[in-house]
Amino acid sequence: MSSANQSSVSEFLLLWLSRQPQQQQQLLFGLFLSMYLASVLGNLLIILAISTDSRLHTPMYFFLSNLSFVDVCFSSTTVSKMLANHILGSQSISFPGCLTQVYFFIVFAVMDNLLLSVMSYDRFVAVCHPLHYTTKMTFQLCALLVTGPWVTANLDALLHTLMIARLSFCADNRIPHFFCDVAPLLKLSCSDTHINEMLILTVGGLIMITPLVCILVSYICITCAVLRIPSTKGKWKAFSTCGSHLAVVSLFYGTIIAVYYNPSSSHSAEKDTAATVMYTVVTPMLNPFIYSLRNKDMKGALRKIIVRKTGSM
């Protein structure tokens, strides 16, 4: 049976913003627009600073620039459609458009997840094997550590998107969310979604849990290595370097686990949306501040860009 015959729904309605009181709609629109612009501008500034400052051409900043690029795309995938719909006075997204949004949402969510794991490995090598850092973290390895996640993310997204495309969607096409997320779509389907849910728990769980375990093991090793440093100043410097990364990891994984790995009976549209906003909008917005405000090299590079721009005026 073709997908056209399976689904009688040609479009979905993204109703989260329109369900809010009129005054709150304008407030939420302004809040989302502000966070989106802050996220895009902040992450683009990080990419620009890293690309223009030769001192930042190191593995750590190479991974950070990739994370910033992914965060720009992540926010754009979810928030931009909602903002455009509000401006145009529309709530709709086409069926192919919804599947496309699901695909890229999964790609960038998985990329965020895997890059955080790669960055924890980089910090592990830097703290636990500082003398061998330059020989271990070669350009070839760094390229492989970024290419591998891109391939994995696209294969995972393709799997879940194709599994959603085979479902039937009958009468109800109202999504109480601000973008096409997997969980609300499965609730709307009039087909058996057992296989989809099993794939989320197994394949999706493996892709989420494996990097998280790698991060935890890396930071256990880092903590043990730092505690062996005799000077208090040295300990503080090492923990300060890793603290930013740990803050982002905690926020990202905490909210994702709350949305996708709790029993479906405990889910509510409001709770899921609030948690999703945290890792799709708030975390990408905070990353530039977390990674730059406590980093002297990054602050220096950003200062150079600002001075160069103001001087050329």
Side-chain angles (χ1 to χ4, degrees):
M1 186 182 291
S2 68
S3 59
N5 293 330
Q6 280 190 342
S7 178
S8 59
V9 172
S10 61
E11 66 177 20
F12 292 99
L13 300 178
L14 303 173
L15 298 180
W16 177 75
L17 189 60
S18 62
R19 290 172 64 180
Q20 311 304 318
Q22 188 63 35
Q23 288 184 336
Q24 286 188 23
Q25 285 185 33
Q26 301 304 322
L27 179 63
L28 287 169
F29 173 78
L31 183 63
F32 270 80
L33 180 61
S34 302
M35 289 193 295
Y36 176 62
L37 291 176
S39 174
V40 171
L41 293 174
N43 282 293
L44 288 178
L45 265 177
I46 282 186
I47 295 171
L48 181 62
I50 292 172
S51 61
T52 55
D53 193 329
S54 58
R55 294 178 305 167
L56 302 183
H57 293 174
T58 63
M60 182 177 80
Y61 293 108
F62 172 68
F63 298 135
L64 178 56
S65 62
N66 276 273
L67 182 68
S68 293
F69 171 75
V70 168
D71 281 341
V72 170
C73 298
F74 198 16
S75 295
S76 299
T77 298
T78 55
V79 180
S80 58
K81 178 62 178 174
M82 182 199 71
L83 296 176
N85 274 2
H86 184 75
I87 292 170
L88 297 172
S90 171
Q91 300 171 345
S92 65
I93 182 170
S94 67
F95 187 79
C98 188
L99 290 181
T100 302
Q101 194 174 50
V102 166
Y103 179 86
F104 285 107
F105 166 73
I106 295 173
V107 167
F108 297 124
V110 172
M111 276 301 298
D112 244 343
N113 171 39
L114 296 177
L115 280 175
L116 289 173
S117 176
V118 167
M119 291 172 75
S120 72
Y121 174 73
D122 173 71
R123 292 299 83 208
F124 162 74
V125 177
V127 174
C128 299
H129 305 281
L131 299 178
H132 303 288
Y133 182 75
T134 53
T135 55
K136 285 190 173 186
M137 299 303 293
T138 61
F139 174 78
Q140 290 81 2
L141 179 61
C142 291
L144 184 64
L145 288 173
V146 170
T147 305
W150 275 113
V151 173
T152 304
N154 278 277
L155 289 175
D156 184 52
L158 184 63
L159 171 66
H160 290 293
T161 306
L162 289 176
M163 291 302 294
I164 291 173
R166 58 177 277 278
L167 297 176
S168 298
F169 295 91
C170 305
D172 194 1
N173 67 339
R174 296 169 296 175
I175 300 177
H177 215 318
F178 64 94
F179 72 99
C180 286
D181 197 2
V182 176
L185 281 173
L186 294 185
K187 287 182 181 179
L188 286 183
S189 175
C190 47
S191 302
D192 181 9
T193 60
H194 178 70
I195 296 176
N196 297 72
E197 291 168 358
M198 286 301 297
L199 283 173
I200 290 173
L201 288 173
T202 54
V203 179
L206 183 66
I207 290 175
M208 293 300 300
I209 299 302
T210 303
L212 180 57
V213 170
C214 292
I215 291 171
L216 292 175
V217 170
S218 295
Y219 274 100
I220 290 171
C221 295
I222 288 170
T223 302
C224 293
V226 169
L227 292 176
R228 290 196 294 267
I229 298 174
S231 69
T232 306
K233 186 179 179 181
K235 289 179 181 179
W236 172 251
K237 184 179 179 181
F239 276 128
S240 179
T241 304
C242 302
S244 303
H245 185 249
L246 271 176
V248 174
V249 166
S250 302
L251 186 60
F252 182 79
Y253 279 100
T255 50
I256 282 188
I257 290 170
V259 174
Y260 296 103
Y261 299 100
N262 272 336
S264 57
S265 58
S266 67
H267 286 213
S268 70
E270 291 77 13
K271 288 181 180 179
D272 284 359
T273 302
T276 306
V277 167
M278 291 299 291
Y279 74 86
T280 60
V281 185
V282 176
T283 302
M285 179 190 70
L286 292 179
N287 281 356
F289 298 102
I290 292 173
Y291 284 112
S292 61
L293 291 179
R294 299 177 64 183
N295 189 308
K296 290 182 180 178
D297 293 334
M298 183 62 70
K299 284 192 285 189
L302 291 171
R303 199 176 295 115
K304 280 183 181 179
I305 293 174
I306 295 169
V307 170
R308 193 181 304 145
K309 292 295 181 184
T310 55
S312 61
M313 287 182 179

